């Protein structure tokens, strides 16, 4: 018994393992509810087209920038939408996809659809000084 107990009353019992787990689950659910699209995608499963007979993502180049397109459903992959029987793709969590992309490659969700959104913009690739001088001559 502490000398403060008569003033403050008895101490509440310390939380047990089940209480901590419940608190952690509630906190995680609150984070999911308030997360932005990019964070939500990290927890979701996405579908990404791959090169035939390899595990490499298909990389698209637009205006000098490289992009990988991730889709929220298998049937949204371009080849699946066009009726191909065999669609080369990988299924993975958004966070795993983001970890595997180089910084200079951007990520777009559901490319070509009205609700498409850019998740990660590609970072500019540094150019060598001699390349810049040759372009300027």
């Amino acid at each position: 018994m502490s000398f403060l107990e008569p003033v403050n009353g008895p101490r509440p019992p310390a939380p047990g393992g089940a209480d901590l787990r419940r608190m952690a689950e509630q906190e995680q659910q609150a984070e999911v509810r308030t997360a932005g699209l990019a964070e939500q995608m990290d927890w979701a499963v996405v579908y990404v087209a791959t090169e035939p007979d390899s595990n490499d993502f298909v990389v698209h180049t637009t205006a000098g920038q490289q992009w990988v397109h991730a889709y929220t459903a298998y049937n949204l992959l371009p080849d699946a939408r066009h009726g191909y029987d065999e669609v080369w793709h990988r299924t993975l969590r958004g966070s795993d996809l983001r970890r595997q992309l180089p910084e200079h490659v951007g990520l777009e969700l559901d490319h070509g659809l009205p609700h498409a959104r850019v998740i990660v913009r590609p970072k500019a690739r540094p150019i060598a000084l001699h390349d810049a001088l040759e372009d300027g001559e």
Side-chain angles (χ1 to χ4, degrees):
M1 176 193 263
S2 163
F3 73 93
L4 293 176
E5 196 167 309
V7 176
N8 297 330
R11 289 185 192 174
D19 297 325
L20 290 175
R21 183 174 46 255
R22 189 171 28 263
M23 290 168 60
E25 289 170 349
Q26 290 171 348
E27 187 174 293
Q28 192 268 341
Q29 290 169 357
E31 287 175 3
V32 170
R33 280 192 303 273
T34 60
L37 178 62
E39 293 167 315
Q40 290 279 352
M41 186 180 150
D42 281 347
W43 294 310
V45 172
V46 293
Y47 302 83
V48 182
T50 60
E51 298 292 341
D53 299 322
S54 84
N55 221 10
D56 298 335
F57 300 124
V58 172
V59 177
H60 306 272
T61 303
T62 305
Q65 294 182 322
Q66 294 183 315
W67 296 87
V68 166
H69 302 152
Y71 294 90
T72 54
Y74 172 82
N75 62 340
L76 297 178
L77 286 162
D79 285 349
R81 279 187 275 164
H82 292 99
Y84 291 100
D85 292 335
E86 191 170 0
V87 179
W88 296 93
H89 74 286
R90 283 177 58 190
T91 304
L92 63 165
R93 286 172 40 121
S95 59
D96 295 331
L97 172 59
R98 287 172 60 155
R99 271 195 298 278
Q100 294 177 33
L101 289 180
E103 287 186 343
H104 67 277
V105 177
L107 177 59
E108 185 177 10
L109 184 65
D110 287 344
H111 173 79
L113 299 169
H115 63 272
R117 293 290 179 265
V118 171
I119 302 299
V120 177
R121 296 202 178 277
K123 292 187 178 178
R125 282 182 135 173
I127 60 171
L129 182 57
H130 72 277
D131 291 340
L133 293 175
E134 288 176 7
D135 289 343
E137 295 180 347

